Amino acid sequence: MRPLPLMLLSCLLLGCASQPADEVSQPASAAKPAIQAVQTAAKNMHNQRQLSGTLMTPPAGSRVELAVLLIDAQGYPRKLLGSGALTGTGQALPFTVAFARPAATSDLQLQLRARVTLSGQLVQRLPGKLIPPAQHDDLGNLQLIPAP
């Protein structure tokens, strides 16, 4: 019985005495690789559409969530087609959201929505932006408004 605890103790001491592995360097900006990955995925899928643009000045460290929805005539969301999340930088934030091309329906419209949270609290939002039926849309600069 006594040799087992001694062996475990010696293994523990050997593990603590070894040199730590080299630290892996973090990329300077995690948002840019995520944007590029979304763009690459959207180009590879022929039945995909993508929306791109710039959100004006979400606070630094905030979480920005984007969603492309199918909206009915009363303004209620019927289906989520695509979404994405970014981290605010305190400056203009470029985005690209890829989504599945919906079946043609006369009573439903595409809409882009965004919300910005900081420390778990909603601080800004993007009012629903209707999207015209086109292959690729650059929405330009979109202004966020304070949340109520």
Side-chain angles (χ1 to χ4, degrees):
M1 286 291 258
R2 290 187 182 187
L4 183 62
L6 288 175
M7 286 179 53
L8 291 174
L9 180 62
S10 63
C11 288
L12 178 65
L13 290 174
L14 282 173
C16 292
S18 65
Q19 296 292 328
D22 292 339
E23 293 182 16
V24 178
S25 62
Q26 295 290 333
S29 172
K32 287 185 182 180
I35 292 172
Q36 291 170 351
V38 170
Q39 289 173 342
T40 303
K43 289 178 184 174
N44 292 337
M45 313 256 334
H46 71 294
N47 69 342
Q48 293 275 316
R49 277 185 64 188
Q50 66 179 7
L51 298 175
S52 60
T54 304
L55 293 174
M56 301 310 292
T57 62
S62 62
R63 179 174 169 83
V64 179
E65 297 172 347
L66 299 156
V68 178
L69 304 164
L70 271 180
I71 305 295
D72 65 14
Q74 290 80 29
Y76 295 112
R78 293 294 172 204
K79 185 175 181 182
L80 174 67
L81 299 176
S83 64
L86 300 169
T87 301
T89 60
Q91 300 174 0
L93 184 65
F95 70 89
T96 300
V97 179
F99 60 96
R101 186 184 316 239
T105 58
S106 61
D107 59 335
L108 299 177
Q109 296 181 326
L110 286 175
Q111 191 177 72
L112 174 70
R113 293 185 183 177
R115 64 181 175 190
V116 180
T117 56
L118 186 61
S119 300
Q121 184 176 4
L122 182 66
V123 291
Q124 290 179 321
R125 66 182 183 88
L126 176 69
K129 170 91 173 144
L130 290 178
I131 309 301
Q135 286 299 109
H136 173 78
D137 292 327
D138 183 13
L139 302 174
N141 296 335
L142 300 174
Q143 188 63 46
L144 296 166
I145 62 171

